[in-house]
């Protein structure tokens, strides 16, 4: 992909009222759907740098994770890149800072990538990206990324690259538990696919413990109940 991209002409509509309202409603939904949401955070953003987060995508609920993390933990000026088909199907994401990318026609993705790069040029900004471009079954670890993440990762020296792994487990309670691993930051030029795979492998290993005390020493119970 060429490093010389034309300026994007993308208008992103955001509403603080809608963001807060949908974030609180989403937290209520997830509290009902999951027994608990556990987090392990090895990264905290700063106001002096921007952040490019890249996440795996195995379930519909993944689309709510960036909103919840940013609203209740990160507090950055956030944007999210969505496949145009999903963006058209769920229009409420438009009011939350999401903008579309056309994955079926790479040339049409150029304006979206330029917009993303321009957004990440400002400290305190963040972008959430699902680089696989489609749903992958949760058990798969060999994943293929779209080329956009690699290009974006080379655009700004003052930008952090942070993987977020997401897995679910079912055996400790009647409802599933959701596990999130944020970070650590990876160095520019790193193998980003391997970084996310490593995060998921570690998340699988840590989340499978049957020792509740060990679990609580490794993760923080963010949403829901910490004990069955």
């Amino acid at each position: 992909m060429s490093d010389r991209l034309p300026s994007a002409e993308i208008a992103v509509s955001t509403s603080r009222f809608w963001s807060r309202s949908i974030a609180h409603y989403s937290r209520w939904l997830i509290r009902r759907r999951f027994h608990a949401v556990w987090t392990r955070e090895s990264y905290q953003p700063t106001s002096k740098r921007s952040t490019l987060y890249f996440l795996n995508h195995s379930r519909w609920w993944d689309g709510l994770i960036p909103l919840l993390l940013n609203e209740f933990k990160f507090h950055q000026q956030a944007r999210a890149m969505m496949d145009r088909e999903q963006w058209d199907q769920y229009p409420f994401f438009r009011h939350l800072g999401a903008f579309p990318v056309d994955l079926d026609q790479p040339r049409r993705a150029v304006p979206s990538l330029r917009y993303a790069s321009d957004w990440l040029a400002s400290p305190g900004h963040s972008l959430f990206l699902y680089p696989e471009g489609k749903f992958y079954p949760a058990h798969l670890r060999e994943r293929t990324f779209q080329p956009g993440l690699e290009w974006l990762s080379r655009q700004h020296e003052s930008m952090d690259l942070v993987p977020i792994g997401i897995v679910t487990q079912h055996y400790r309670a009647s409802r599933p538990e959701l596990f999130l691993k944020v970070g650590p930051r990876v160095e520019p030029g790193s193998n980003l696919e391997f970084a996310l795979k490593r995060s998921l492998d570690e998340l699988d290993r840590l989340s499978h413990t049957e020792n509740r005390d060990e679990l609580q020493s490794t993760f923080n119970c963010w949403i829901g109940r910490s004990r069955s």
Side-chain angles (χ1 to χ4, degrees):
M1 182 179 295
S2 171
D3 283 344
R4 302 178 66 85
L5 300 181
S7 297
E9 296 181 357
I10 295 178
V12 177
S13 172
T14 60
S15 166
R16 184 64 185 146
F17 170 79
W18 276 104
S19 293
R20 288 186 62 84
S21 299
I22 294 178
H24 282 275
Y25 179 63
S26 298
R27 185 167 61 175
W28 177 80
L29 282 178
I30 284 184
R31 189 184 295 272
R32 288 175 57 86
R33 176 64 176 84
F34 294 95
H35 178 75
V37 179
W38 301 85
T39 62
R40 188 183 190 194
E41 299 171 48
S42 302
Y43 173 80
Q44 285 295 327
T46 72
S47 61
K48 297 181 179 180
R49 298 179 66 83
S50 61
T51 312
L52 174 55
Y53 300 100
F54 53 105
L55 309 80
N56 61 297
H57 201 3
S58 302
R59 59 200 66 75
W60 184 88
W61 293 99
D62 296 343
L64 300 178
I65 298 303
L67 174 64
L68 291 172
L69 286 174
N70 194 67
E71 181 67 30
F72 298 112
K73 288 183 175 289
F74 298 156
H75 309 295
Q76 294 171 287
Q77 295 293 316
R79 293 288 184 267
M81 184 183 290
M82 290 183 65
D83 174 65
R84 177 170 290 278
E85 182 177 346
Q86 295 292 312
W87 191 78
D88 288 337
Q89 185 175 356
Y90 302 105
F92 69 89
F93 279 110
R94 305 179 187 190
H95 302 293
L96 307 178
F99 62 97
V101 59
D102 194 331
L103 298 176
D104 295 328
Q105 302 187 50
R107 292 186 64 181
R108 291 189 178 182
V110 168
S112 297
L113 289 171
R114 172 51 67 191
Y115 176 87
S117 177
D118 291 345
W119 180 256
L120 288 166
S122 298
H125 284 195
S126 66
L127 174 69
F128 291 85
L129 179 66
Y130 297 95
E132 299 150 348
K134 61 180 181 180
F135 285 100
Y136 267 79
H139 66 278
L140 292 182
R141 288 295 176 264
E142 299 302 323
R143 298 163 180 267
T144 301
F145 284 6
Q146 298 287 333
L149 174 62
E150 178 64 28
W151 183 84
L152 282 172
S153 72
R154 295 184 278 106
Q155 298 308 302
H156 306 292
E157 293 183 357
S158 60
M159 177 179 68
D160 292 333
L161 304 171
V162 180
I164 299 180
I166 309 172
V167 302
T168 56
Q169 300 293 356
H170 295 77
Y171 62 88
R172 269 186 298 265
S174 59
R175 290 179 294 161
E177 294 177 291
L178 182 65
F179 291 83
L180 307 175
K181 184 175 183 294
V182 181
R185 181 177 77 88
V186 299
E187 295 297 325
S190 299
N191 184 325
L192 302 181
E193 293 181 35
F194 177 76
L196 185 56
K197 176 183 181 297
R198 181 175 57 192
S199 179
L200 290 169
D201 287 343
E202 184 177 5
L203 196 54
D204 265 343
R205 177 177 60 82
L206 293 172
S207 64
H208 269 90
T209 180
E210 297 184 17
N211 185 315
R212 181 65 63 168
D213 291 335
E214 181 182 356
L215 177 68
Q216 292 178 325
S217 70
T218 306
F219 293 93
N220 292 316
C221 185
W222 178 28
I223 300 173
R225 293 175 293 175
S226 62
R227 295 188 179 274
S228 301

